[in-house]
């Protein structure tokens, strides 16, 4: 094999394919990348990424160690000319001031990712990427419920949930051809960090999917399972449901301050609100310390209280990008819906409230202060 390109081009391509190459694989070939047919390819057996490699010369094929190549070209000037050669005696990478001999494996040993009878999928790549990126933070890490370890593509939306929170974003096109596919997390991460796909195909045999982007392609096994009926989780709000509207950035800053003190997983924060103010309260250090903050309610609302995991609440605020966020809540014991200024939303399950008295007490004191000010 002979290849000549620049350190910048080679490093960029290797970083992309490296997203699916395991750093600690015990199978030698899986720590390698394949150079062939004008592209460099990496795989972990479940996912495959191939990137076109612009070059002034590329012929033949070889498999070389990914991480050694990345570390080496990272220490070269971006415009440095890099030459890779390989034959039956060995492989080498050379540049203006040096040469490094590296191990290599025959390309015939590189795993082949095959798809039986792929069927084309009509899609809007930009909309798909946007939808997947919105719901990705809500993917579950619980391996016992493996079917939640990815993003579900329904006929009209992308959905992800870990059982305590759920993200929903409309596709903007008919997703029926996806066949209710569950995209695994590694594929999701690759889609988010890559150009929007221009074409896609799916194979019902073996449950595999392929995406073609500008200058690259991605192949992946789908999660083999049935996604739960997420629509049953989305609450139907009555006319009497509480509606809480707040400035997202202000609320996010409060959540960031609380989260910085509540590192423990499952830390709870209680919200209490009326038609003018919202009180936020929590305890930490085993109840020895407290935190209380207030925030203006932007639209009149019926009063209420609810308790959430503060890290989940902060994550919801980061996902919703609008200036104002609306929360709909039938009561403090059921799920709530948090929306921005588009169709996407986040569903949060409440926690058992341990700071309700502190939050409502703060709200009462605010109300009393307002009454005194009015009387004065």
């Amino acid at each position: 094999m002979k290849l000549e390109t620049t350190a910048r081009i080679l490093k960029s391509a290797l970083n992309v394919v490296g997203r699916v190459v395991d750093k600690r694989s015990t199978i030698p070939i899986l720590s390698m990348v394949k150079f062939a047919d004008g592209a460099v390819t990496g795989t972990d057996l479940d996912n495959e990424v191939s990137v076109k490699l612009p070059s002034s010369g590329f012929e033949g094929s070889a498999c070389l160690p990914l991480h050694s190549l990345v570390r080496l070209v990272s220490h070269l000037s971006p415009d440095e000319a890099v030459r890779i050669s390989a034959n039956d005696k060995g492989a080498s990478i050379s540049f203006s001031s040096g040469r490094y001999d590296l191990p290599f494996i025959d390309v015939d040993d590189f795993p082949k990712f095959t798809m039986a009878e792929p069927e084309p999928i009509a899609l809007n790549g930009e909309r798909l990427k946007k939808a997947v990126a919105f719901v990705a933070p809500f993917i579950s890490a619980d391996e016992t419920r493996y079917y939640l370890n990815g993003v579900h593509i329904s006929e009209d939306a992308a959905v992800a949930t870990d059982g305590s929170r759920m993200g929903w974003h409309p596709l903007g096109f008919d997703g029926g051809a996806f066949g209710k596919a569950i995209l695994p997390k590694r594929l999701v991460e690759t889609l988010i960090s890559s150009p929007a796909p221009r074409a896609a195909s799916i194979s019902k045999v073996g449950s595999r999917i392929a995406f073609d982007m500008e200058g690259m392609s991605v192949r992946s096994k789908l999660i083999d399972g049935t996604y739960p009926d997420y629509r049953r989780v989305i609450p139907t709000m009555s006319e009497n449901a509480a509606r809480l509207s707040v400035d997202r950035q202000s609320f996010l800053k409060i959540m960031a301050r609380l989260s910085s003190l509540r590192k423990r997983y499952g830390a709870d924060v209680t919200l209490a609100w009326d038609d003018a103010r919202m009180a936020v309260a929590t305890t930490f250090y085993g109840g020895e310390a407290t935190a209380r903050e207030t925030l203006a309610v932007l639209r009149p609302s019926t009063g209420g209280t609810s308790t959430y995991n503060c890290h989940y609440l902060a994550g919801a605020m980061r996902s919703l990008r609008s200036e104002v966020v609306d929360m709909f809540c039938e009561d403090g014991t059921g799920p709530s819906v948090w929306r921005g200024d588009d169709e996407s939303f986040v569903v949060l399950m409440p926690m058992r409230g341990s700071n309700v008295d502190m939050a409502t007490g703060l709200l009462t004191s605010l109300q009393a202060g307002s009454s005194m000010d009015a009387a004065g």
Side-chain angles (χ1 to χ4, degrees):
M1 185 198 83
K2 292 183 179 180
L3 166 65
E4 184 168 344
T5 186
T6 66
R8 177 191 290 108
I9 291 173
L10 182 58
K11 180 183 177 182
S12 176
L14 292 174
N15 284 335
V16 173
V17 301
R19 295 169 189 158
V20 298
V21 177
D22 293 323
K23 292 183 178 180
R24 298 178 178 84
S25 175
T26 58
I27 304 175
I29 193 64
L30 295 184
S31 64
M32 301 278 185
V33 289
K34 180 178 73 172
F35 291 87
D37 302 320
V40 57
T41 302
T43 185
D44 64 356
L45 298 181
D46 290 332
N47 302 273
E48 178 189 275
V49 175
S50 183
V51 177
K52 295 294 183 181
L53 196 61
S55 64
S56 56
F58 193 158
E59 59 183 55
S61 59
C63 294
L64 282 83
L66 167 70
H67 304 296
S68 296
L69 285 173
V70 171
R71 286 191 289 267
L72 181 55
V73 297
S74 295
H75 292 284
L76 297 178
S77 171
D79 296 325
E80 179 81 29
V82 176
R83 293 170 294 279
I84 298 177
S85 61
N87 53 39
D88 55 1
K89 296 181 179 180
S92 66
I93 177 170
S94 58
F95 43 94
S96 60
S97 61
R99 166 178 165 164
Y100 289 73
D101 295 323
L102 301 175
F104 79 108
I105 296 178
D106 191 277
V107 292
D108 291 337
D109 296 329
F110 196 81
K112 294 179 175 62
F113 194 97
T114 59
M115 290 182 61
E117 301 177 1
E119 301 176 6
I121 300 175
L123 82 164
N124 182 318
E126 293 288 350
R127 293 298 301 265
L128 176 67
K129 181 177 177 179
K130 182 179 179 181
V132 167
F134 179 87
V135 303
F138 309 103
I139 294 175
S140 173
D142 181 2
E143 294 184 359
T144 62
R145 295 189 294 175
Y146 66 93
Y147 45 84
L148 298 182
N149 297 161
V151 171
H152 172 62
I153 306 297
S154 69
E155 294 85 353
D156 59 349
V159 182
T161 181
D162 61 7
S164 297
R165 52 191 177 152
M166 185 184 80
W168 185 97
H169 196 291
L171 288 179
F173 61 91
D174 184 3
F178 279 84
K180 299 182 178 180
I182 307 175
L183 312 183
K185 186 175 181 180
R186 182 164 279 185
L187 171 60
V188 168
E189 292 171 344
T190 302
L191 288 175
I192 293 172
S193 56
S194 304
R198 300 183 297 187
S201 58
I202 192 168
S203 174
K204 302 297 176 61
V205 179
S207 298
R208 302 191 174 202
I209 196 166
F211 293 98
D212 293 322
M213 299 88 158
E214 183 178 357
M216 65 178 291
S217 62
V218 180
R219 308 285 184 268
S220 178
K221 293 181 181 178
L222 298 170
I223 294 177
D224 187 13
T226 301
Y227 209 76
D229 184 3
Y230 65 88
R231 290 179 174 85
R232 296 176 59 184
V233 179
I234 303 173
T236 302
M237 298 300 173
S238 69
E239 294 182 358
N240 297 323
R243 175 176 177 175
L244 177 65
S245 300
V246 295
D247 179 83
R248 185 181 72 89
Q249 284 293 344
S250 298
F251 194 29
L252 182 57
K253 289 177 180 178
I254 292 176
M255 290 299 105
R257 289 191 286 269
L258 295 180
S259 296
S260 68
L261 297 174
R262 297 302 308 263
K263 296 296 185 182
R264 180 175 61 85
Y265 182 82
D268 61 304
V269 57
T270 297
L271 312 179
W273 63 90
D274 58 17
D275 61 354
R277 305 288 297 179
M278 178 179 70
V280 184
T282 189
T283 59
F284 49 100
Y285 292 126
E288 296 180 1
T290 63
R292 286 169 284 192
E293 297 218 29
T294 61
L295 184 67
V297 171
L298 301 181
R299 299 187 181 101
S301 169
T302 56
T305 63
S306 198
T307 301
Y308 302 98
N309 178 306
C310 65
H311 305 300
Y312 290 171
L313 195 50
M317 293 305 103
R318 288 191 293 268
S319 296
L320 299 166
R321 297 290 183 174
S322 60
E323 293 184 7
V324 176
V325 169
D326 296 323
M327 183 269 275
F328 300 87
C329 179
E330 191 68 42
D331 58 64
T333 62
S336 59
V337 177
W338 298 75
R339 293 183 179 272
D341 56 7
D342 59 15
E343 295 181 74
S344 59
F345 59 83
V346 176
V347 176
L348 294 179
M349 298 300 294
M351 300 177 65
R352 181 174 298 176
S354 59
N355 304 301
V356 174
D357 291 342
M358 184 165 50
T360 54
L362 176 57
L363 192 63
T364 300
S365 68
L366 292 171
Q367 294 168 341
S370 298
S371 299
M372 291 176 64
D373 291 341

